[in-house]
Structures are given as structure tokens and as C-alpha cells.
Amino acid sequence: MRIGILNSGGDCPGLNAVIHGVVGAATKLGWEVVGFRDGFEGMLPPGDYMMLDAAKTVGIMKLGGTILGTTNKGHFVAKIGEGNVSEVPREIVEKAKTTLKHLEVGALIVVGGDGSLTTGLQLYQMGIPVIGVPKTIDNDIQATAMSFGFDSAVATVVDGLDRLHTTAESHKRVIVLEVMGRHAGWIALYGGMAGGADIILLPEIPFSLEKVAQAVRNRDAQGHHSTLIVVAEGARLESGDLVKKEAVGNAGEDRLGGIGEYVAKQVEKLTGKETRSCTLGHLQRGGAPTSLDRILGVRFGVHAVKLIKDGKFGRMVSYQQYHVGDVPIEEAVNQLRLVTNDSEIVGAARSIGVSFGD
Ligand code: F6P
């Protein structure tokens, strides 16, 4: 048996751990593993790939990024932005099938986020035996409680906030930290809570600048002269407006970013307090995965191989209640998993005095 694996979409700490898990479990079964380079593009004839064996994957678990390379552009894009699904052209799928046949690859593991899993589902529906593995730092994939990469991104946010605390306190300033997450607020919420942010602004809870300013004034009145604000890149004002860079991102998708600076300027204007902003950007995606993400990645890879062994195609590996299992890929790609205002975690944050600007 020979199986294929590819990573698609943005890179994410823990991708190499998945590869390590897949190669380890497949090797034990006497199978060979073909790693396609640069996402689905690697399947275009004549095929851009490397044979993966235990020797090639020794020590990769601790590395960030992916040894296979990845892309969020190309011929196989099936989803743009929040919900526009298009079909991968049939002739492109046929080309991929030709490569798989030529290389005698009997099953394909697609490690990707919402968009890449949508492509994976289409390939499965067009006859390729696909297994999905969820990958996202944003933690916004439905049908899995968590994906590898999220914990590492949160750890970077917490490290950033720990550093910003001391400088904000020394200067009695407001500092706004903009973090990733696209249309989901998980990184901002977890990072903000663990890093002791005073105000957390999320896409799911529209905020008012006046209420943010009031929260800063209240803190001042209580003798806390510095304030840390975490804002998710996709956070929305009460008007529903997002701050975007030009539509020059993945396949014409809007590139988010800039809300941190916007919030900082407005808060300074409204409160008269000296305010600074800082954007963490791709620091959240790079670097070594946390131990949690390494373990999750390896377990996901091992389970993907098990699904192939059991002939359960069209399914995505899923983490639920401390257990790695699987669900139909359809269940994961229909909508994003978002923070809800009435959730226990948002309630807990409010209980310790965090303001969401609402
Ligand atoms: O989905 C992961 C993510 O890092 C988002 O949080 C962010 O908006 C986006 O990818 C950035 O993508 P790019 O690789 O195009 O900069």
C-alpha cells in the first residue's frame, strides 16, 4: 500500500507532527508514504513530491512550518472568504487522479483548514479516497473541539501580552494588541484571558468604541492606569464594519488587519490617554509547536492512517472530549465554529472583569 499526504492553506505549528504520526503509523503497517509539495499543486503532473520514511521525519516534530511546503493559492481553491464555494475544475481533478494512479497512491490525507477540506471533500466526491485532518491556528473548524496550531498561537499571544504588561504599566499607557483568527475570536479570547487582557474585542461580539473608552476610564478611576486591549483582526464595530486591507489575499480573499491601530487611535482620542498598538501577525503562525500541539498532531496523523486501514474515506479526524475520533468531512466544512456571547468562557471572562466593549 502507498498513501499520499499534503498540507494546504496557511502553515501552522504542528503540521510536521502530523507528518511524523502518519509516517510512523504507515511504516508500522509496511506502507509507503508520498508527501506532495506545496499543497494540492504537488499532484499536478508530473507530480512534485518526496518519499517520506522514518529517516526523513526524524526530529521534525519540533519544527514549525511544514517540510512539505504549502500554499493557499493555486488550481484547487474551492472556497473564497467566509462562504463562497466554487467547484474545482474537473480537468484539474482528472490531472490529480492521473498523478495518483501513476504513483500508485491508493489514498490521500489532506491536512488543511476549512477551504482545503472543502477541496478535499470535492476530490472525494469525484472519486479520490480522501481523509481530512483539521489544521487551523484560528480554531474555527466545525466538528472538532480543537485543532493543532491553536495552542501554539495562543502561547505567542500570551508571551506578547506578558511583555506588553510591563511596558504599559511603566508608562501608564493603553496598549492594543491585534491578533489573528480571521472571522473567529478564539485566539483573542484564549490569548487575552491567559495573558490578563482587560478588554477583549471579538468578531462575534460587536463593540462600541465609547464603551471601550469607558472601560479604560473606569480602570483609571480605580487606580489602574494602564490597560491592555486584545483585538481580533476580524473584530466588528457595532455598525458591523470590519477593518480590511485590500482584497489581495488568498485568491482575491479580503486580507484582514489594521483594526488594532484604528482602535488605538480612537481610544486615545476618546480618553486622552497615551495609546500604542502592536500587531503580532505571522509570529503567531511560526516557530515550534507547543507540546499539546505536537501530541495532537501525532494523534491526528495516526488516526488518519487508521481510517485508511479501515477503508473509512470521506471522513475527517476530529478531537472531541479528550478523544481522537472522526466525522464526515461535510460536518466540518458547512460553517465556521465561532465564539458565542452566552458561552461559559465568555461568562467567566466577564466575571473576572474583562470588558468586551458591548
Ligand atoms: O487562517 C490562518 C490565518 O493565519 C488567519 O488567522 C490570517 O487572517 C490568515 O491566515 C493570514 O493568511 P496569509 O497567509 O495569507 O497571510
Side-chain angles (χ1 to χ4, degrees):
M1 178 72 168
R2 190 178 272 182
I3 63 172
I5 178 170
L6 60 84
N7 315 131
S8 172
D11 72 333
C12 176
L15 277 170
N16 286 322
V18 177
I19 296 170
H20 185 68
V22 166
V23 172
T27 305
K28 212 152 187 214
L29 292 170
W31 297 357
E32 288 180 330
V33 184
V34 176
F36 290 100
R37 289 200 179 94
D38 301 337
F40 294 99
E41 297 296 296
M43 291 197 296
L44 290 174
D48 186 5
Y49 63 92
M50 65 198 277
M51 295 306 296
L52 294 168
D53 55 24
K56 291 232 178 62
T57 57
V58 166
I60 65 168
M61 199 165 48
K62 62 178 180 293
L63 303 177
T66 161
I67 60 165
L68 290 175
T70 188
T71 179
N72 41 24
K73 298 198 229 15
H75 297 81
F76 292 82
V77 171
K79 197 162 189 187
I80 298 172
E82 276 177 276
N84 303 328
V85 176
S86 62
E87 199 150 280
V88 179
R90 202 157 262 278
E91 67 269 20
I92 295 293
V93 180
E94 289 310 319
K95 282 183 179 175
K97 279 186 181 174
T98 306
T99 305
L100 294 177
K101 199 168 166 203
H102 175 70
L103 294 174
E104 297 176 10
V105 169
L108 179 67
I109 298 171
V110 172
V111 190
D114 184 47
S116 309
L117 291 168
T118 302
T119 298
L121 178 61
Q122 290 186 14
L123 297 190
Y124 168 67
Q125 287 162 343
M126 291 191 238
I128 298 178
V130 167
I131 300 294
V133 173
K135 169 234 61 141
T136 168
I137 63 161
D138 302 337
N139 212 27
D140 60 354
I141 300 179
Q142 277 289 354
T144 184
M146 210 202 291
S147 162
F148 62 89
F150 173 63
D151 187 58
S152 304
V154 167
T156 303
V157 173
V158 174
D159 179 55
L161 285 171
D162 286 350
R163 292 167 192 276
L164 292 176
H165 259 296
T166 56
T167 172
E169 266 169 30
S170 305
H171 287 265
K172 300 188 175 60
R173 281 175 174 163
V174 177
I175 300 190
V176 181
L177 180 67
E178 179 183 306
V179 303
M180 281 186 167
R182 289 203 67 75
H183 303 292
W186 296 108
I187 295 178
L189 180 59
Y190 275 61
M193 276 187 80
D198 309 296
I199 302 172
I200 302 177
L201 306 176
L202 308 177
E204 297 90 341
I205 306 179
F207 66 94
S208 134
L209 283 164
E210 180 43 45
K211 286 189 179 144
V212 172
Q214 193 50 49
V216 172
R217 289 186 206 109
N218 291 347
R219 285 181 51 75
D220 249 356
Q222 289 158 4
H224 305 298
H225 300 301
S226 66
T227 296
L228 286 190
I229 303 177
V230 172
V231 57
E233 61 181 359
R236 287 173 196 266
L237 296 160
E238 271 177 337
S239 59
D241 288 345
L242 276 168
V243 177
K244 296 175 186 176
K245 294 188 173 152
E246 292 156 77
V248 290
N250 319 330
E253 194 176 329
D254 286 327
R255 222 159 65 191
L256 301 175
I259 183 115
E261 214 171 304
Y262 175 76
V263 168
K265 274 196 187 129
Q266 300 305 315
V267 167
E268 187 164 75
K269 225 187 258 175
L270 290 167
T271 63
K273 278 192 75 76
E274 202 178 4
T275 304
R276 296 285 188 269
S277 80
C278 170
T279 302
L280 266 185
H282 291 78
L283 289 173
Q284 293 156 99
R285 284 230 310 245
T290 59
S291 48
L292 177 70
D293 284 341
R294 296 179 199 196
I295 298 288
L296 209 51
V298 167
R299 289 169 74 190
F300 279 14
V302 168
H303 195 76
V305 170
K306 182 178 183 305
L307 286 173
I308 295 175
K309 185 164 160 269
D310 296 345
K312 288 184 169 172
F313 298 107
R315 296 188 71 80
M316 183 193 81
V317 175
S318 156
Y319 182 70
Q320 300 289 351
Q321 299 183 337
Y322 305 104
H323 178 77
V324 175
D326 47 87
V327 293
I329 298 176
E330 281 102 325
E331 281 184 21
V333 294
N334 292 334
Q335 64 190 71
L336 295 179
R337 198 175 79 84
L338 298 174
V339 176
T340 48
N341 201 347
D342 58 358
S343 58
E344 173 272 326
I345 181 164
V346 170
R350 290 189 195 276
S351 299
I352 57 166
V354 172
S355 162
F356 288 88
D358 60 337

